[in-house]
Amino acid sequence: MFKNYIKVAFRSLNKNKTYAIINILGLALGLAVTIMVFMFIKDETSYEKHWDGYERVYRTGIKASVMGQAMDAPVSPSPMAHTFRTKFTDVETATRIHTVNQEIMVRYEETKVYIQKAVQADSTFFKVFNYEFVQGDPKTALIGENSLVLTEESARKIFGDVNPIGKVVKYDNRSDYIVKGIVKEPKGHSHFQFDMFMSQNGIRNVWLMNNYYTYVKLKEGVDCNVFFKKMRRNFIKKIEPDVERILGSTVAELFKGESYYEYQIMPLKDIHLHSNREMEIQQNGNIMYIYVFIGIALLVIIIAGINFMNLSTARAGKRAKEVGVRKVSGASKKMLVTQFLTESVIQSFIALFLAFILVELFLPGFNNILETELYLFNSHIGETLVFSLIITLFYGLFAGSYPAFFLSSFQPIAVLKGDFTKTNGGALLRKILVITQFTASTILIIGMIIIFQQISFLHNKDIGFKGGQVIVVPIQTDLMAENFRNYKSIFLKNSNVLNTTRASFYPGDTPNQDMYILEGSKDLLPLWNMDVDYDFFNTLDIKMLDGIKFDREKESDSIPYFILNETAVKNLNIQNAIGRKLSISQGSSDNVNYGNIIGVVKDFHVEGFNSEIRPMVLTISNELWFASFKIANIDMTSTIDFIEKEWAKLEPSHPFRYTFLDQKFGKLLRQQENFGNMFLVLTILAIIISSMGLFGLASYTAQQRTKEIGVRKVLGASVPQIMKMLTMEFIKLVLLANVFAWPITYIFAKDWLSNFSYQIEMPIFPYILATLLAMLIALITVSFQAYQAAVSDPVDALKYE
Amino acid sequence: MIKLNELTKVYRTDEIESTALNAVSFEIKKGEFVSIMGPSGCGKSTLLNILGMLDKPESGSYKFLGNEVAHLKEKGRSEVRKKNIGFIFQNFNLIDELTVFENIELPLLYNKVPASERKQRVNELLEKIGIAHRASHFPQQLSGGQQQRVAVARALITKPPLILADEPTGNLDSSHGNEVMELICDLHEAGTTIVMVTHSSHDASYSDRIINLLDGQIVSEKKNKLVKAAI
């Protein structure tokens, strides 16, 4: 019996190839998308779970607003970890790290290697993050002064085949470190990824300076809320002496207004998806993308499932005879339901097989777009398989159930008489399903257009500087830093080097903040500062709005000179800025060295578009570690070669490194761009799947109405009239779908746009365009079938009655 | 075998009520070959569908093998049908996705006959109707006459005591029609009860008795031995 079902299932598919292809391919695409989204989510939610006892680990943070200076960052003061370890009984251990935000040159004998991600860590680091040690002892590796632990890969780069343990390396040409341990790369993902760990032992007992990341591991069974309350109570007292000493006021006085200062904790496992604050160690994921992708996967599943149901029921007329014959041959309703469910499950599993092939084909592109490293047969393959089997079975049974019950309830007497056209049941349901499907597609189309409009808005936004022809070169030696101004002429000899300057950091990096005061005022001004060298504004093409640029000829070395940005002048309400005197606040100290404000520049972006431009002060300085060159737009390679050659003469100890400034800044937009691209791909897939379904459905509708069309033609209907009749039916459905799609999309799009500090006005254009697009897609898909039906010979249609 | 008493069937739509069968009563004995004739719309197909338990009467009694079946539920009717009745249709109604062999085998599958016995019975029957060489072909590859012979074979395979035929030669030319009628006569001679709806008096001439219907009522009934003897 079962064999018969399977046999009929395959023959029936083989006989109706168009139907089979639409159904199975649509389902396979839907499954492929679902499986990939599952893999992506599995990967994104797997962060930190490889560390022993990760559920008990928390990272501390601070949310504060003090005198208009806001901070929301996962940072903590130097003594915090030590206090946890010594004063808190419910803490198992705590550790503190300080990331080195710059690549570091490590030298062993003649080998010079740049280490990308170095970190200074307390000796307890490996108690919280149990890296697997290949050599050395995790308990003692970071205890001594100047101890070093390397990953296997870094060790191989520096030492080759030499056993590194006990060897001394030179760090940044400054200090010596002894290698005490080699660790393996961790088995899973983390919110950090380090290549080198250096010991740090000193604790500066200042609670108001937050330069560290602190991780605390609680003892088993400790309630984190109880711990958290205790921690806040305890730590808020610690800042009192600092507030008095540095800010020159009491805590009570400080917090009486709108100011506040809160310590926070966040579970380690939540960091990757839920922490997108200032000063993250690296760009984290975003839970919103997870939700959006789940949403899309659901929409795609619904669209493909609807195809399946729609086509099966539409095809019912064709199979009605079979149902009748089987019934008069003795089949019970149950047997028929079983048969049709078997068929749909078989189809689903063929689709699953195809889906796995599609996943293999799509994954490289998927990884490329989302910058992930997913592959099908990874450590989650078991879960992926179980998930895809369940979803496939669900598809087969759920999507197959309606057609199964629908078909098996046919009365043999009706269908065996050849009167199939009367089996019009399910027409309303089919319409509802088509509307649902087009609602989903239209939501995706509108969403996609809005996302791309926003991204292109950010791209075309005036960022205030030009980074396309600027390369940034890190300075490695004190000698180079001290003498750079004298070396400038060496580089400018080449006429393709248009300009050169230095700065403490560049757009794309995170700025620092300090408190300033204006002469004659007591108010503290929180300003973000950037130290620059002469020619900075020329090199980056930043426009002056008022006053003059820094000029070596006109300045004395004894006093500082400042240039403010537009926002600083506006936000801090500094009237007649030029000529006024400004200084970094020295707290309660009276020894203030005021400098002159000599100019105001147009705003330029330093951070990404998630944050607004900050009030900024630029100061002239000679202690700068990043040079930059503006080079002509012709023959850039040889210009860079020239710079490299000259640079190597001046700084022979360190190999030359450079990055393009626009690439550095472009990284800030990348997450959004990736998201937009992924959305685009998934939208196109969803549209393909629903068009396939519509195509199939249109063909069956045309088939069902063959007789009607024949009669109409005999009575004198023209081909265009018949096409219009067949097409309008679907167009109406598509229009109705738009009525639902518009408000739904509006709500989601509004929410997404609110993530940006700079956003487009909610446009009406995507809604109209999407409606037109959906209609066009429907029209193209349906009109082909409608045309075929309309030009067919009415005699053929009528004589089969 | 079959005893109808005052059997009535009414079709209703929203506005119109039309009586398809109006108090029809007759009896068919075991081993009889009865033809039902009459113009289009006289109710002969409705009668056949009720006899075959594909449809339910409005009122009256239908005794099949001594049991009242007029008001059985779908499940019960399906049980009786499965064991006792074979159907032959004007448009053959073979399943396109199944081969000749599998089409004939289908009722045996639903009657849960073991595979080896199924094979043997189907092969025997294929020999008998002379299309054994076409066993693995699909219906579309056969001529109309061959298709109807397969349909007849499918009706016979469970050896039902009653065969209901609805215009079995209606879609066939006369030579193929005759082949099929001969097959039905063979069945009759072997003892199967046959009820056939037909427009063709030629086909009706093969039967023992002809019932003439008009507007849902029996208008005449005649024994047919004479006609048959003349051929």
Side-chain angles (χ1 to χ4, degrees):
Chain A
M1 180 74 76
F2 202 65
K3 220 173 88 189
N4 185 274
Y5 292 162
I6 294 176
K7 204 153 56 185
V8 174
F10 276 103
R11 284 187 194 153
S12 163
L13 289 178
N14 192 31
K15 241 190 102 188
N16 301 286
K17 288 203 183 67
T18 324
Y19 160 79
I21 289 169
I22 290 174
N23 231 1
I24 293 179
L25 204 62
L27 205 52
L29 278 172
L31 280 171
V33 169
T34 317
I35 292 171
M36 283 193 295
V37 168
F38 175 82
M39 289 168 66
F40 173 70
I41 293 169
K42 195 78 211 157
D43 193 59
E44 284 287 288
T45 52
S46 73
Y47 275 67
E48 320 293 352
K49 294 191 177 155
H50 55 290
W51 307 119
D52 282 349
Y54 69 90
E55 306 98 326
R56 291 182 280 131
V57 179
Y58 297 83
R59 180 174 72 174
T60 67
I62 287 168
K63 194 174 160 98
S65 175
V66 179
M67 297 177 298
Q69 175 183 10
M71 175 159 79
D72 181 10
V75 292
S76 54
S78 175
M80 186 189 271
H82 180 76
T83 313
F84 274 137
R85 287 196 297 264
T86 50
K87 300 278 183 340
F88 284 71
T89 48
D90 37 11
V91 166
E92 184 177 301
T93 188
T95 194
R96 149 192 89 126
I97 60 173
H98 181 81
T99 53
V100 180
N101 293 323
Q102 187 186 342
E103 54 181 15
I104 292 296
M105 196 185 75
V106 174
R107 203 178 76 197
Y108 171 68
E109 293 175 346
E110 291 312 306
T111 317
K112 294 170 186 168
V113 172
Y114 278 99
I115 296 293
Q116 296 297 329
K117 284 166 183 156
V119 63
Q120 291 174 306
D122 281 2
S123 61
T124 47
F125 181 77
F126 295 112
K127 283 187 191 164
V128 180
F129 301 102
N130 59 315
Y131 279 81
E132 187 185 336
F133 271 69
V134 182
Q135 291 194 68
D137 179 1
K139 287 195 196 77
T140 57
L142 290 178
I143 284 182
E145 292 267 319
N146 289 11
S147 299
L148 192 71
V149 171
L150 292 165
T151 59
E152 281 184 303
E153 201 196 329
S154 314
R156 206 174 309 118
K157 277 193 207 149
I158 301 168
F159 293 100
D161 295 333
V162 179
N163 181 0
I165 294 293
K167 297 286 186 304
V168 175
V169 294
K170 203 151 201 89
Y171 173 89
D172 200 24
N173 267 7
R174 284 162 218 265
S175 39
D176 290 337
Y177 277 85
I178 306 166
V179 181
K180 292 278 192 63
I182 306 293
V183 295
K184 280 196 153 99
E185 284 291 338
K187 285 184 199 75
H189 301 308
S190 277
H191 67 290
F192 56 66
Q193 200 187 354
F194 296 129
D195 305 320
M196 184 166 88
F197 310 84
M198 294 162 298
S199 61
Q200 66 177 0
N201 298 301
I203 295 171
R204 241 183 103 196
N205 197 23
V206 179
W207 279 81
L208 220 45
M209 302 260 283
N210 299 289
N211 300 322
Y212 294 85
Y213 301 96
T214 298
Y215 301 86
V216 55
K217 188 176 187 178
L218 302 182
K219 284 183 179 156
E220 274 179 68
V222 172
D223 181 342
C224 81
N225 289 321
V226 174
F227 162 78
F228 179 48
K229 280 192 193 119
K230 191 155 64 175
M231 161 190 152
R232 285 173 71 163
R233 223 174 25 241
N234 191 304
F235 285 169
I236 203 70
K237 288 187 213 129
K238 304 269 187 192
I239 64 169
E240 283 175 20
D242 291 339
V243 169
E244 280 163 30
R245 187 168 50 84
I246 299 171
L247 302 177
S249 73
T250 65
V251 170
E253 213 175 295
L254 192 64
F255 294 147
K256 72 183 170 208
E258 284 174 357
S259 295
Y260 60 92
Y261 200 90
E262 281 172 17
Y263 285 101
Q264 296 172 315
I265 56 172
M266 175 176 248
L268 178 66
K269 64 177 162 49
D270 288 350
I271 292 174
H272 177 66
L273 286 175
H274 296 273
S275 191
N276 278 298
R277 306 162 72 183
E278 296 163 31
M279 295 188 250
E280 294 288 351
I281 296 177
Q282 60 186 40
Q283 168 94 62
N284 285 328
N286 193 331
I287 191 73
M288 190 188 76
Y289 296 158
I290 302 276
Y291 294 145
V292 170
F293 287 143
I294 290 178
I296 294 179
L298 277 176
L299 287 182
V300 171
I301 287 180
I302 290 170
I303 291 173
I306 285 174
N307 276 355
F308 199 90
M309 288 171 79
N310 256 348
L311 290 179
S312 312
T313 43
R315 228 170 51 100
K318 280 212 154 182
R319 301 201 67 175
K321 188 182 92 177
E322 184 189 334
V323 172
V325 173
R326 284 183 184 272
K327 277 201 166 175
V328 296
S329 298
S332 67
K333 188 171 174 180
K334 204 173 118 194
M335 287 166 166
L336 287 169
V337 169
T338 317
Q339 179 191 341
F340 288 122
L341 281 182
T342 311
E343 274 185 28
S344 70
V345 170
I346 287 173
Q347 288 188 38
S348 311
F349 275 90
I350 299 173
L352 178 64
F353 177 74
L354 270 178
F356 275 116
I357 296 174
L358 288 176
V359 168
E360 276 291 292
L361 288 175
F362 289 162
L363 265 186
F366 187 92
N367 282 332
N368 196 14
I369 292 174
L370 285 182
E371 295 179 30
T372 48
E373 286 170 16
L374 299 176
Y375 49 100
L376 189 51
F377 296 97
N378 61 11
S379 53
H380 301 307
I381 180 69
E383 284 140 309
T384 310
L385 276 178
V386 170
F387 171 78
S388 36
L389 286 178
I390 289 172
I391 194 108
T392 307
L393 210 60
F394 174 77
Y395 251 129
L397 293 180
F398 180 75
S401 64
Y402 177 71
F405 284 100
F406 178 66
L407 278 169
S408 57
S409 64
F410 282 165
Q411 288 306 311
I413 169 168
V415 294
L416 289 178
K417 282 300 201 179
D419 196 5
F420 307 150
T421 42
K422 275 194 186 157
T423 58
N424 210 12
L428 178 68
L429 182 83
R430 277 206 292 282
K431 281 181 186 166
I432 293 172
L433 292 178
V434 169
I435 293 172
T436 315
Q437 215 172 23
F438 264 84
T439 306
S441 301
T442 313
I443 289 173
L444 290 175
I445 298 175
I446 303 173
M448 178 191 75
I449 302 171
I450 291 178
I451 289 171
F452 274 89
Q453 279 194 331
Q454 170 68 15
I455 290 172
S456 115
F457 165 76
L458 295 181
H459 261 299
N460 297 329
K461 195 175 180 324
D462 181 12
I463 51 173
F465 69 92
K466 290 191 182 126
Q469 290 150 255
V470 178
I471 62 167
V472 176
V473 181
I475 295 170
Q476 307 282 359
T477 57
D478 295 339
L479 193 70
M480 187 74 174
E482 277 159 26
N483 296 298
F484 186 80
R485 284 177 185 167
N486 305 327
Y487 297 153
K488 278 167 96 168
S489 56
I490 300 172
F491 299 103
L492 292 168
K493 270 192 309 206
N494 185 324
S495 61
N496 282 338
V497 178
L498 303 178
N499 226 321
T500 174
T501 187
R502 285 180 302 162
S504 50
F505 62 90
Y506 287 89
D509 295 321
T510 320
N512 306 308
Q513 193 181 32
D514 254 313
M515 301 307 274
Y516 288 79
I517 49 169
L518 274 171
E519 193 182 33
S521 161
K522 276 200 160 177
D523 292 340
L524 288 164
L525 305 175
L527 289 172
W528 298 80
N529 58 31
M530 185 178 214
D531 292 349
V532 299
D533 204 348
Y534 299 106
D535 292 325
F536 179 78
F537 302 108
N538 292 339
T539 310
L540 268 68
D541 225 338
I542 296 169
K543 288 193 179 58
M544 292 297 295
L545 291 180
D546 203 357
I548 52 164
K549 295 172 184 169
F550 297 121
D551 187 340
R552 203 172 175 176
E553 306 297 316
K554 297 178 186 159
E555 292 168 7
S556 91
D557 288 340
S558 56
I559 56 164
Y561 291 88
F562 301 110
I563 289 179
L564 297 174
N565 73 350
E566 232 177 315
T567 303
V569 174
K570 218 179 325 171
N571 286 20
L572 303 174
N573 208 9
I574 307 174
Q575 273 119 22
N576 309 321
I578 292 166
R580 296 191 65 172
K581 292 189 183 300
L582 187 74
S583 170
I584 290 192
S585 163
Q586 303 294 327
S588 49
S589 155
D590 290 329
N591 183 18
V592 181
N593 182 18
Y594 284 109
N596 295 326
I597 298 175
I598 58 166
V600 177
V601 287
K602 198 163 173 291
D603 279 339
F604 59 97
H605 277 271
V606 173
E607 294 164 280
F609 298 112
N610 294 349
S611 49
E612 291 182 33
I613 288 180
R614 305 184 193 265
M616 189 166 243
V617 58
L618 296 109
T619 317
I620 194 78
S621 165
N622 196 28
E623 279 177 56
L624 300 167
W625 297 88
F626 292 95
S628 55
F629 299 87
K630 179 162 183 130
I631 56 181
N633 206 2
I634 41 160
D635 207 2
M636 287 167 106
T637 322
S638 56
T639 314
I640 294 170
D641 283 346
F642 164 79
I643 297 169
E644 173 167 9
K645 216 173 76 216
E646 294 302 324
W647 191 284
K649 287 181 201 159
L650 301 167
E651 206 174 52
S653 55
H654 290 70
F656 176 80
R657 319 275 285 175
Y658 74 92
T659 46
F660 274 95
L661 184 56
D662 60 342
Q663 285 169 7
K664 202 180 168 87
F665 188 73
K667 274 185 190 165
L668 300 175
L669 255 180
R670 211 161 61 194
Q671 204 185 25
Q672 272 89 26
E673 280 174 348
N674 292 345
F675 170 70
N677 288 333
M678 199 62 223
F679 202 95
L680 174 71
V681 170
L682 292 176
T683 303
I684 290 174
L685 277 177
I687 291 170
I688 290 175
I689 298 172
S690 53
S691 306
M692 276 167 39
L694 194 65
F695 180 83
L697 197 61
S699 84
Y700 284 110
T701 313
Q703 232 169 52
Q704 263 195 337
R705 299 173 72 172
T706 318
K707 184 184 149 194
E708 182 197 337
I709 294 165
V711 172
R712 281 174 188 272
K713 283 188 81 172
V714 168
L715 296 176
S718 67
V719 171
Q721 278 170 332
I722 288 177
M723 279 187 71
K724 192 180 156 203
M725 175 188 86
L726 289 173
T727 315
M728 274 315 285
E729 194 181 305
F730 286 102
I731 296 297
K732 274 186 218 153
L733 299 183
V734 172
L735 281 176
L736 200 56
N738 275 281
V739 173
F740 298 112
W742 283 31
I744 298 173
T745 319
Y746 181 84
I747 294 166
F748 282 110
K750 190 117 191 131
D751 192 48
W752 182 73
L753 283 176
S754 69
N755 282 312
F756 295 90
S757 299
Y758 300 89
Q759 43 174 280
I760 48 173
E761 285 285 312
M762 176 66 83
I764 182 77
F765 158 78
Y767 294 86
I768 293 165
L769 184 66
T771 306
L772 292 176
L773 254 173
M775 259 165 38
L776 188 71
I777 291 166
L779 207 62
I780 291 170
T781 335
V782 175
S783 60
F784 175 72
Q785 294 294 344
Y787 180 74
Q788 297 263 312
V791 296
S792 65
D793 193 341
V795 178
D796 292 331
L798 293 177
K799 79 178 171 197
Y800 284 117
E801 274 306 301
Chain B
M1 173 174 252
I2 291 172
K3 196 173 176 185
L4 301 186
N5 194 14
E6 300 282 311
L7 200 78
T8 300
K9 176 76 186 175
V10 180
Y11 286 114
R12 286 190 186 86
T13 62
D14 289 344
E15 288 149 19
I16 310 159
E17 211 174 75
S18 58
T19 309
L21 292 174
N22 190 359
V24 171
S25 306
F26 63 79
E27 199 172 332
I28 296 171
K29 296 215 163 57
K30 194 169 184 308
E32 251 192 308
F33 182 173
V34 177
S35 291
I36 300 171
M37 294 188 75
S40 288
C42 70
K44 52 188 194 304
S45 289
T46 307
L47 180 58
L48 198 73
N49 287 332
I50 291 176
L51 289 181
M53 285 169 247
L54 294 174
D55 207 350
K56 275 202 227 173
E58 182 81 14
S59 64
S61 146
Y62 172 16
K63 282 195 170 138
F64 184 79
L65 291 169
N67 299 317
E68 179 60 55
V69 294
H71 301 291
L72 276 181
K73 290 223 164 67
E74 161 72 24
K75 208 174 174 187
R77 288 188 284 154
S78 148
E79 277 303 305
V80 179
R81 202 161 61 205
K82 186 156 84 174
K83 290 199 175 66
N84 298 298
I85 307 175
F87 290 87
I88 302 169
F89 301 96
Q90 178 178 1
N91 51 359
F92 324 138
N93 279 333
L94 295 174
I95 296 179
D96 298 338
E97 284 81 15
L98 297 180
T99 62
V100 166
F101 184 98
E102 287 157 357
N103 262 294
I104 300 175
E105 185 193 24
L106 196 63
L108 294 180
L109 273 172
Y110 288 123
N111 278 294
K112 303 210 161 68
V113 176
S116 58
E117 192 190 332
R118 289 203 305 259
K119 198 175 171 194
Q120 190 205 333
R121 278 167 71 175
V122 174
N123 280 331
E124 268 173 32
L125 201 54
L126 280 168
E127 287 294 337
K128 205 166 140 194
I129 61 168
I131 42 175
H133 60 294
R134 296 281 191 152
S136 58
H137 288 204
F138 286 94
Q140 313 90 287
Q141 298 167 299
L142 305 182
S143 73
Q146 284 172 324
Q147 287 192 35
Q148 191 61 304
R149 275 190 281 160
V150 173
V152 173
R154 186 180 59 191
L156 304 182
I157 191 72
T158 52
K159 295 178 185 149
L162 175 64
I163 297 264
L164 299 176
D166 190 355
E167 307 239 17
T169 64
N171 282 6
L172 301 174
D173 61 30
S174 60
S175 72
H176 282 129
N178 283 339
E179 281 176 24
V180 170
M181 280 318 295
E182 274 159 27
L183 204 56
I184 291 175
C185 285
D186 289 349
L187 278 177
H188 174 223
E189 262 150 46
T192 310
T193 312
I194 292 166
V195 180
M196 176 174 79
V197 163
T198 183
H199 268 115
S200 150
S201 39
H202 172 77
D203 289 355
S205 67
Y206 288 89
S207 57
D208 300 334
R209 186 155 53 112
I210 299 173
I211 296 174
N212 273 303
L213 280 182
L214 184 66
D215 295 339
Q217 283 177 306
I218 296 177
V219 289
S220 70
E221 211 183 327
K222 61 181 173 190
K223 294 278 182 187
N224 206 19
K225 288 291 180 198
L226 252 177
V227 190
K228 197 180 181 187
I231 296 170

